[in-house]
Amino acid sequence: MDDEPLSEWAERRDARIGRLRAVPLVPGDGSQAGHVNPGAPRLIQRWNGHGWEAHGFAADLAEAKRLLYPGSKTGTPAREPGPAAKLLGPGTGRHRKPQASGPERR
């Protein structure tokens, strides 16, 4: 079994301490996705390394986004650049449609 050292696990766990999330305060069966009821008040929770604890309150989704992502102009998390998507190369793979040639080509 390839277990990681405890020090690496603890470092990864501690990197998440202080992370915030917004949970809608709506009646019913648990929390919902944020976009379902954007006008509902939100509880801002903070990860303490062992569980989520109450940290603040927001009147709606827009205010919650401003609290969660203070440096963002759009109210969304900044995305880090990832690897470029691979485009299909030339060729006739097993599942590719054959290329039409001549006047039939659209």
Side-chain angles (χ1 to χ4, degrees):
M1 205 168 172
D2 295 332
D3 289 338
E4 67 179 322
L6 185 60
S7 60
E8 289 179 18
W9 173 82
E11 183 179 319
R12 199 166 31 92
R13 183 200 62 194
D14 291 345
R16 288 182 247 155
I17 292 177
R19 185 170 288 177
L20 299 176
R21 75 175 182 181
V23 180
L25 296 175
V26 294
D29 191 24
S31 62
Q32 297 177 348
H35 68 280
V36 172
N37 195 352
R42 302 290 198 267
L43 173 66
I44 307 298
Q45 295 178 328
R46 182 180 174 273
W47 181 252
N48 66 9
H50 301 286
W52 293 98
E53 60 187 10
H55 181 71
F57 179 79
D60 58 7
L61 179 61
E63 184 179 344
K65 284 185 175 184
R66 284 192 296 273
L67 292 171
L68 295 177
Y69 314 112
S72 172
K73 294 178 183 176
T74 61
T76 58
R79 294 184 183 240
E80 295 180 12
K86 291 180 93 177
L87 300 176
L88 290 177
T92 56
R94 181 175 172 192
H95 298 288
R96 290 190 181 179
K97 293 181 180 178
Q99 295 290 324
S101 60
E104 301 169 5
R105 191 173 188 183
R106 292 181 188 184

